[in-house]
Amino acid sequence: MSERPMEGERSFEPRIVAFFCNWCTYTAADLAGTARMTYAPNIRIIRLMCSGRLDPQFVLAAFRHGADGVLIGGCHPGDCHYQEGNYKALRRYLLLKRLLREMGIEEERLRLEWISASEGDRVQKVANEFTETIRRLGPLRLAPRPGVIRLPVAALPEPSPAAREGALP
Amino acid sequence: MRAHEIYPNGGPRIGVYVCHCGLNIAGKVDVHEVVEFAKTLPFVVVAREYKFMCSDPGQEMIREDIREHRLNRVIVASCSPLLHEATFRRVLEQAGQNPFFFQMVNIREHVSWVTEDPREATEKAKALVAAAVRRVIFHEPLQRRRVPVKDHVLVVGGGIAGIHAALTLADAGKHVYLVEREPTIGGHMAMFDKTFPTLDCAACILTPKMSAVAAHPNITLWTYSEVIQVEGFVGNFRVRVRRKPRYVIEELCVGCLQCIDACVYKDARFPDEFNLGLGKRKPIYIPFPQATPRVVLIDPETCIWFKTGKCKRTCLEACERKAIDFEQQERIEEIEVGAIILATGFKTFDARRIPEYGYGKYPNVYTALEVERLVNAAGPTGGEVRLRDGRVPKRVGIIHCVGSRDERFNRYCSRVCCMYSLKLAHLIKERTGAEVYNFYIDMRTPGKGYEEFYDRLLQEGVHFIRGRVAEVTDWAITPEEEGKLIIRVEDTLIGVVRRIPVDMVVLAVGLEPQPDAEEVRRMFNISCSKEGFFLERHPKLAPVSTFTDGIFLAGACQGPKDIPDSVAQAGAAAAEALALIDKGYVELEPNTAYIVEELCSGCKTCISLCPYNAISFDEVRAIAVINEALCKGCGTCVAACPSGAARQHLFEDAQIFQEIEGVLAYV
């Protein structure tokens, strides 16, 4: 990785997208906040109603658009608010890991964690651990790292099948 | 309808509002910088900051902007959407905008409170705002679903909390099903003699409420029954209740108790559960004289007929009303209710887990609950405090914090032990004249009249020794310790290790979640907090609500609490349930899945994934059809659809992809 240029003066700061389910892990992240448990700022949380909503394309899109790691958080087995969405998430996660391996992406860049609504400390621990893991792995560099904000080109929203590809209309 | 159909003359007009939340956010995040940044983002017409966005002036600012700047999208960057999303959606509605053109950015719980460095916090907040701007562009107007609500309420648990909640609702004219696992309602409170700090008799304040429950026309009381299944959702729960056989027909039994006299066992000889084994009962029994309903039951574990099939069954003959039915089977009842109140209570800490205190080893080591029975006039000793060998104790030691405030067991304070220890100290001293020693870590007596009660006990000459007891032993080293239990403790106020010989040790056991709290939690689809008590929706603003709409909490199942607090909470839970069902309908989040018919290829992938059987297959059109009434909006089908035909309102793929790009575009 030494041939890769450093970004300006800053050392590598991993960019991590986290998909947390509304009922357990997102609430746990709220609890971590309420308890003032500080953790690495690299985690950017996106709320889904259930980890079962996690379309594998979300993960791929995250990597494509510059994520260095993706974290999935759901309810513990047997505790899913929607009965079994977390099992579906687990299946997709396992398939995704294989897919990432095929694509030459380190599978450690994708992590699934069961975190219940009361486990704010676990959010803290996982966020810190995962950030360190990604820091160790280095940048993924599937996407250029924008120094500036890329604005959506869309003039008008047109939710269309194309949007499934993560492409802007 | 698509956004461009609604706004043919222009694109999205976004307002971004960043909240200081006092210093909660502004103390870490450079709010001004976030606002200036937001102004540079596409479609953002106005961006502002304010001290408390959720306050009335804050809300008014947004409403005014919506009107003045013709905003059609609003973003508020403040606390968790779980806290204030509903508040701000209402603001949009009030300004005549569809409430779902709104996105909340959590920069308090997920940023300012969890990030150490202000620079990093500001950058993270900016990234999240950027993501929300991109997402909200793709929002669409939605309608909330309105579904009718069943008028009945289920209350689970017949302790003081459940009783109070049931009576409150029944008095308001709602029908209540009160389900209790034990043969009688009353819970732990029925076991107490007096209640702190007023020392009014527990039975005098509880039993009238118990009989009011039994007599209330709006309450269906099912004791010796357990909830076994819960289906449905807020306003429309379907619940199955198992009614265990008591081998006595409840409707026929009048509680004359002649069957008990007639039992072939002339003497009561089996340990009595209600008296924690300190008293005896027969195989056919009533838990205690004021049991409600006043209906006897037969314990098949000890009844000769059930054990051997051979008995004269004198009880059968004794019952004039032919209420005894040895063939009785368990029954499953099915009910439909609009709201559920869980009041399943607590269990006391098992003192055997601390072997050094000798519970179960030395007969004169008691738990506080056992002593409650001993001092109870209706208890096994008629209210006289006697040791197991019949002696009256001359010296009694009460050990506080047994299983509480202890890293090894429970870190939390059980809240009631200091006060009940004071009460027991008073009662023991009153009944026996014994010297009473309290061994405490800290005295915790917050509450109306509580500190005064503590003062009173100090006046009464009860001894207080500050220190956690190391052990209880019968190993005497001086003649006066002979035959006594010796409490070894470091008196931390004088810095000396002391040995206090006593006749009786009372362990002030803490409160723990019910052993089956975990199963109950799963059945009702709610969460537990770390120590295993049921988790409230918000510790301050929604203390009796759960994360599952329509399910409320009352009493110690939510955390240790005393009788006044349990009753207050039960009233609150009843009010919440009443507010829900009295409205007649409930509005559900419109986050349901739907099928774009022209895209559906009819592969049926989604059908097997749905946990609620909400998706069926239309054979004629060869497409999947989602029944919106059954869909709960998890989005599992949406994630699995290979052709993108299954979509989810509020969590559209397009919206989430925008969010993903948004959080990554700016670091």
Side-chain angles (χ1 to χ4, degrees):
Chain A
M1 309 252 162
S2 54
E3 74 274 15
R4 285 177 172 168
M6 295 295 277
E7 287 176 85
E9 298 302 305
R10 285 175 68 200
S11 61
F12 168 59
E13 274 304 326
R15 292 191 287 184
I16 296 166
V17 178
F19 296 97
F20 284 177
C21 83
N22 182 62
W23 305 99
C24 289
T25 315
Y26 192 89
T27 312
D30 276 4
L31 180 65
T34 319
R36 312 297 198 276
M37 297 169 175
T38 54
Y39 54 82
N42 309 59
I43 308 276
R44 305 285 149 87
I45 299 167
I46 293 177
R47 181 166 69 116
L48 302 174
M49 289 313 283
C50 179
S51 54
R53 175 67 182 89
L54 185 92
D55 192 322
Q57 295 184 85
F58 294 168
V59 175
L60 300 178
F63 283 127
R64 200 178 90 193
H65 291 293
D68 303 302
V70 174
L71 177 63
I72 308 164
C75 309
H76 283 273
D79 284 2
C80 178
H81 189 82
Y82 301 103
Q83 298 183 14
E84 49 197 32
N86 52 356
Y87 298 146
K88 309 293 189 291
L90 175 63
R91 294 205 308 223
R92 289 172 194 149
Y93 162 77
L94 293 171
L95 276 171
L96 269 166
K97 284 211 133 187
R98 254 165 65 187
L99 188 66
L100 292 178
R101 209 158 51 220
E102 300 284 316
M103 291 160 64
I105 296 175
E106 298 91 336
E107 55 182 289
E108 297 96 306
R109 292 188 187 272
L110 179 64
R111 181 162 171 181
L112 171 73
E113 279 295 330
W114 308 133
I115 303 179
S116 81
S118 62
E119 295 176 305
D121 51 341
R122 184 130 189 85
V123 170
Q124 179 190 39
K125 184 167 171 279
V126 168
N128 284 336
E129 255 180 38
F130 192 52
T131 305
E132 278 324 298
T133 305
I134 302 299
R135 205 187 294 281
R136 212 173 48 244
L137 287 172
L140 181 61
R141 293 195 188 284
L142 284 188
R145 312 201 125 225
V148 292
I149 321 134
R150 284 182 293 129
L151 309 180
V153 197
L156 279 173
E158 175 68 36
S160 65
R164 284 189 68 85
E165 308 300 321
L168 285 161
Chain B
M1 224 171 6
R2 299 276 160 75
H4 64 273
E5 295 167 46
I6 308 163
Y7 307 106
N9 300 323
R13 297 176 63 80
I14 304 174
V16 178
Y17 299 88
V18 188
C19 181
H20 287 235
C21 195
L23 284 177
N24 283 309
I25 293 169
K28 193 68 84 172
V29 173
D30 185 339
V31 172
H32 187 69
E33 187 182 324
V34 177
V35 168
E36 290 306 311
F37 165 75
K39 284 178 182 166
T40 67
L41 294 173
F43 303 116
V44 173
V45 177
V46 55
R48 294 182 199 278
E49 58 193 285
Y50 189 64
K51 277 260 176 283
F52 292 100
M53 209 54 87
C54 57
S55 69
D56 213 41
Q59 295 188 26
E60 186 51 36
M61 183 166 85
I62 300 175
R63 279 191 291 263
E64 259 183 48
D65 277 356
I66 291 176
R67 292 189 203 105
E68 191 183 329
H69 296 280
R70 293 180 296 111
L71 298 182
N72 53 31
R73 301 285 194 286
V74 171
I75 288 168
V76 174
S78 57
C79 49
S80 170
L82 303 183
L83 193 62
H84 272 317
E85 191 172 52
T87 312
F88 293 114
R89 279 183 180 169
R90 213 158 37 235
V91 170
L92 269 78
E93 237 167 347
Q94 288 158 347
Q97 191 51 269
N98 186 287
F100 298 97
F101 282 127
F102 172 73
Q103 179 67 12
M104 194 146 177
V105 189
N106 189 344
I107 59 165
R108 193 179 72 173
E109 281 85 344
H110 290 189
V111 180
S112 67
W113 279 351
V114 293
T115 311
E116 259 165 40
D117 180 57
R119 193 67 247 144
E120 286 172 336
T122 307
E123 296 305 316
K124 185 173 177 183
K126 282 156 82 174
L128 296 182
V129 167
V133 166
R134 296 177 66 131
R135 187 192 210 273
V136 82
I137 293 170
F138 286 79
H139 277 209
E140 293 186 18
L142 298 168
Q143 298 301 319
R144 288 196 185 88
R145 289 176 291 158
R146 216 175 238 211
V147 292
V149 164
K150 296 274 183 310
D151 202 22
H152 299 175
V153 181
L154 166 69
V155 177
V156 187
I160 182 60
I163 289 173
H164 187 76
L167 282 174
T168 308
L169 286 161
D171 285 343
K174 302 297 168 194
H175 194 89
V176 179
Y177 295 93
L178 179 55
V179 175
E180 165 60 50
R181 170 157 59 186
E182 299 298 324
T184 173
I185 55 170
H188 281 96
M189 188 177 170
M191 301 168 86
F192 305 159
D193 181 42
K194 299 276 169 64
T195 55
F196 61 77
T198 48
L199 293 178
D200 40 356
C201 125
C204 315
I205 48 179
L206 178 66
T207 50
K209 286 184 92 99
M210 288 163 63
S211 50
V213 165
H216 209 295
N218 286 341
I219 297 179
T220 302
L221 174 59
W222 287 335
T223 55
Y224 215 41
S225 304
E226 282 179 290
V227 175
I228 52 170
Q229 196 180 34
V230 181
E231 285 180 336
F233 56 97
V234 52
N236 298 271
F237 293 106
R238 282 184 310 283
V239 181
R240 285 156 67 88
V241 179
R242 175 168 57 223
R243 306 202 57 202
K244 294 177 273 187
R246 48 204 308 157
Y247 306 106
V248 172
I249 301 164
E250 213 171 296
E251 295 73 27
L252 294 179
C253 177
V254 290
C256 67
L257 312 186
Q258 281 175 13
C259 51
I260 300 178
D261 290 337
C263 178
V264 292
Y265 281 106
K266 285 294 156 244
D267 300 310
R269 60 163 72 176
F270 302 103
D272 173 2
E273 293 85 356
F274 187 76
N275 284 317
L276 305 166
L278 294 170
K280 300 271 188 265
R281 64 158 171 81
K282 292 184 181 181
I284 186 164
Y285 69 105
I286 186 164
F288 62 103
Q290 295 78 28
T292 305
R294 195 174 154 86
V295 174
V296 296
L297 74 155
I298 297 172
D299 170 20
E301 298 293 311
T302 48
C303 172
I304 297 187
W305 173 258
F306 281 105
K307 284 174 70 179
T308 65
K310 291 196 198 89
C311 178
K312 285 188 280 183
R313 296 201 280 177
T314 43
C315 53
L316 265 180
E317 294 155 29
C319 184
E320 287 172 13
R321 293 178 56 86
K322 306 284 169 243
I324 294 172
D325 175 10
F326 281 92
E327 307 300 315
Q328 198 174 54
Q329 299 293 319
E330 71 168 34
R331 280 213 311 272
I332 306 292
E333 305 270 4
E334 285 200 28
I335 53 174
E336 294 195 334
V337 295
I340 296 172
I341 295 176
L342 290 177
T344 51
F346 65 92
K347 78 168 178 70
T348 51
F349 176 80
D350 179 6
R352 283 183 185 83
R353 289 168 64 193
I354 309 185
E356 58 268 32
Y357 287 171
Y359 181 75
K361 179 179 172 198
Y362 306 122
N364 292 331
V365 178
Y366 293 80
T367 68
L369 202 54
E370 287 169 336
V371 180
E372 294 279 0
R373 293 311 298 154
L374 289 184
V375 297
N376 193 311
T381 55
E384 295 199 34
V385 181
R386 291 263 187 275
L387 297 172
R388 289 190 213 264
D389 59 9
R391 281 185 302 136
V392 176
K394 292 194 181 65
R395 290 160 71 92
V396 178
I398 302 179
I399 302 176
H400 291 219
C401 296
V402 176
S404 309
R405 305 182 67 198
D406 188 330
E407 293 276 337
R408 296 172 300 167
F409 307 104
N410 298 308
R411 289 183 59 190
Y412 57 87
C413 164
S414 292
R415 281 189 64 189
V416 294
C417 323
C418 278
M419 284 305 292
Y420 79 56
S421 297
L422 291 175
K423 174 191 73 179
L424 290 175
H426 170 85
L427 293 174
I428 291 169
K429 202 169 170 62
E430 181 185 79
R431 306 278 162 86
T432 63
E435 290 296 319
V436 182
Y437 297 83
N438 276 275
F439 301 89
Y440 68 100
I441 310 176
D442 297 289
M443 284 306 292
R444 296 197 162 170
T445 58
K448 209 172 185 180
Y450 289 12
E451 185 69 13
E452 294 89 325
F453 187 70
Y454 176 32
D455 277 345
R456 175 177 164 185
L457 266 284
L458 288 168
Q459 305 283 334
E460 283 177 9
V462 171
H463 308 281
F464 290 87
I465 295 171
R466 186 174 187 278
R468 189 185 272 287
V469 170
E471 71 166 338
V472 175
T473 174
D474 61 353
W475 188 30
I477 54 173
T478 62
E480 50 273 23
E481 287 179 359
E482 240 17 278
K484 305 244 181 212
L485 291 168
I486 299 100
I487 295 174
R488 286 186 59 230
V489 60
E490 183 193 354
D491 187 331
T492 56
L493 293 182
I494 53 173
V496 171
V497 176
R498 295 175 69 178
R499 295 171 61 90
I500 314 282
V502 295
D503 302 306
M504 178 187 209
V505 173
V506 182
L507 302 179
V509 284
L511 272 48
E512 285 191 333
Q514 289 276 17
D516 59 351
E518 186 64 21
E519 286 111 79
V520 173
R521 176 185 75 73
R522 281 198 184 165
M523 187 157 52
F524 288 91
N525 203 354
I526 59 171
S527 302
C528 282
S529 46
K530 197 113 203 145
E531 66 288 341
F533 291 107
F534 297 148
L535 185 65
E536 67 283 348
R537 195 180 188 107
H538 191 274
K540 295 175 187 73
L541 299 180
V544 298
S545 304
T546 64
F547 284 100
T548 301
D549 286 337
I551 297 185
F552 305 100
L553 305 174
C557 65
Q558 182 260 342
K561 52 181 67 66
D562 57 16
I563 294 167
D565 284 0
S566 295
V567 172
Q569 214 187 23
E576 295 275 1
L578 194 60
L580 169 69
I581 61 171
D582 215 38
K583 203 164 147 196
Y585 64 89
V586 61
E587 285 189 329
L588 302 182
E589 275 277 290
N591 60 350
T592 44
Y594 63 100
I595 302 279
V596 179
E597 293 184 358
E598 56 270 29
L599 294 179
C600 179
S601 65
C603 71
K604 302 185 186 176
T605 303
C606 53
I607 294 176
S608 62
L609 288 175
C610 180
Y612 305 104
N613 298 321
I615 313 178
S616 55
F617 191 68
D618 182 335
E619 296 286 352
V620 180
R621 292 187 291 165
I623 54 165
V625 179
I626 295 178
N627 180 344
E628 207 192 3
L630 294 177
C631 175
K632 294 197 186 174
C634 60
T636 302
C637 58
V638 184
C641 180
S643 41
R647 302 230 187 125
Q648 187 183 12
H649 292 303
L650 275 179
F651 291 88
E652 298 278 2
D653 280 356
Q655 297 166 357
I656 296 165
F657 281 124
Q658 288 299 327
E659 216 175 336
I660 294 169
E661 279 197 65
V663 294
L664 290 168
Y666 185 86
V667 174

